[in-house]
Amino acid sequence: MNGYGTLTDGLAAALDVRTGVSVREIEWRDSLVRAAADDETFEADLLVSSLSLAVLKRGAITFAPGLPAVYRAAIEGLDFGLSEKSVMDFEAPFWPRDRDVIIRASEDGCFSLFFNNHYPASGDAFLTARVLGRNVPAFVELSDEAATNQVMDALKDMFGAGLPEPRRVKRSRWLHDPNSAGAYSVDRLGVPSFDHRSVLAVPVSDRFAFAGEHTHPCYPSTVHGAYLTAKRAAYALLG
Ligand SMILES: Cc1cc2nc3c(=O)[nH]c(=O)nc-3n(C[C@H](O)[C@H](O)[C@H](O)COP(=O)(O)OP(=O)(O)OC[C@H]3O[C@@H](n4cnc5c(N)ncnc54)[C@H](O)[C@@H]3O)c2cc1C
């Protein structure tokens, strides 16, 4: 399994992709568009911004001129969800080998931790622990050792004491990554998001449009949704 890298490598093969460049300002004028980073400025005829919703919500990017009120309201009206992963490599599975997902119901009634079992797909004794929502902020503050202990305690709850320790653990801290600051857009509780996403789907001008999972009215929070929005924005601007 090579993951989504296979898709992005293929898409990027014919393009000039710059990584490690942090955009600070997007200037969208009738005559041109510019994206300004710390040390360089990119000037173009057309600009598609796929900055994540969290980056837009944080106000980390200056827009010149400022975004129209309807776009600001749409960005404000959506929420950004939290999700972190700990991938654990064990000597051999001690859990049901044929189950794709294992869920632990916590005492407060929420599914606070669930596990993806990689064994059916790859034959690897990998479990990915997923920590979601309100449990994330405390979890990302834990040391690697404490985080693994917490996940192992959950597994021991389900499968009994005396479990083997993982050989290797790799964990995310997307909440603390300034370029993601979380996982993906979510609806605000009780507020349908369709209208906000539909606003963001419309190009801001003839030269400037938004893309990204948060701008797809029907398939938000997914890779295919994000992919489709990029095509939509490109076709809209190219006419
Ligand atoms: C734990 C988890 C599990 C998931 N599981 C699935 C799944 O099973 N199936 C599925 O379809 N989707 C899944 N998703 C959702 C999917 O990953 C996202 O919806 C998708 O990656 C969003 O793509 P995007 O291009 O909109 O945003 P992103 O992938 O967030 O891309 C935004 C880009 O902007 C860059 N950026 C941010 N700030 C700046 C800046 N100032 N200057 C320049 N660049 C900047 C970031 O580095 C990033 O590369 C999952 C997500 C998470 C977190």
Side-chain angles (χ1 to χ4, degrees):
M1 287 188 293
N2 295 319
Y4 276 121
T6 309
L7 176 67
T8 49
D9 287 351
L11 291 170
L15 302 174
D16 173 15
V17 178
R18 315 282 175 90
T19 57
V21 179
S22 240
V23 171
R24 304 278 174 229
E25 184 180 15
I26 290 178
E27 194 181 336
W28 55 285
R29 308 276 176 199
D30 288 343
S31 51
L32 60 85
V33 281
R34 283 198 193 103
D38 283 340
D39 301 325
E40 49 189 329
T41 297
F42 302 89
E43 196 170 300
D45 295 326
L46 307 172
L47 191 155
V48 175
S49 162
S50 64
L51 294 164
S52 79
L53 179 70
V55 171
L56 297 175
K57 284 180 82 68
R58 223 178 35 220
I61 310 295
T62 305
F63 291 92
L67 287 176
V70 67
Y71 288 87
R72 283 186 274 122
I75 290 166
E76 171 57 28
L78 292 168
D79 274 344
F80 206 64
L82 303 180
S83 173
E84 301 288 346
K85 291 184 176 183
S86 274
V87 185
M88 298 177 295
D89 172 16
F90 291 94
E91 183 78 38
F94 52 80
W95 56 89
R97 294 177 179 220
D98 58 339
R99 302 297 159 95
D100 292 318
V101 174
I102 299 164
I103 296 178
R104 171 176 176 262
S106 70
E107 284 180 358
D108 65 5
C110 295
F111 293 139
S112 64
L113 197 60
F114 78 87
F115 297 86
N116 293 109
N117 173 20
H118 296 245
Y119 194 79
S122 69
D124 293 311
F126 288 178
L127 275 185
T128 295
R130 297 275 300 273
V131 182
L132 302 168
R134 63 186 169 192
N135 297 300
V136 164
F139 187 78
V140 292
E141 295 304 330
L142 297 175
S143 67
D144 288 349
E145 189 186 353
T148 300
N149 286 342
Q150 196 174 92
V151 174
M152 288 305 297
D153 285 348
L155 287 169
K156 285 171 187 167
D157 251 8
M158 291 187 282
F159 298 107
L163 297 182
E165 291 298 315
R167 298 184 294 194
R168 289 179 299 162
V169 179
K170 191 158 185 185
R171 65 190 284 229
S172 67
R173 276 203 175 91
W174 288 309
L175 179 59
H176 288 334
D177 180 335
N179 288 344
S180 57
Y184 37 73
S185 66
V186 292
D187 289 9
R188 186 161 292 172
L189 199 60
V191 182
S193 64
F194 185 87
D195 290 352
H196 294 316
R197 298 181 195 279
S198 299
V199 166
L200 294 172
V202 178
V204 183
S205 77
D206 290 345
R207 295 183 181 277
F208 172 42
F210 284 113
E213 57 82 15
H214 51 289
T215 72
H216 202 296
C218 303
Y219 305 123
S221 320
T222 64
V223 171
H224 48 285
Y227 173 75
L228 290 171
T229 64
K231 289 187 80 165
R232 177 201 65 212
Y235 283 128
L237 294 187
L238 289 169

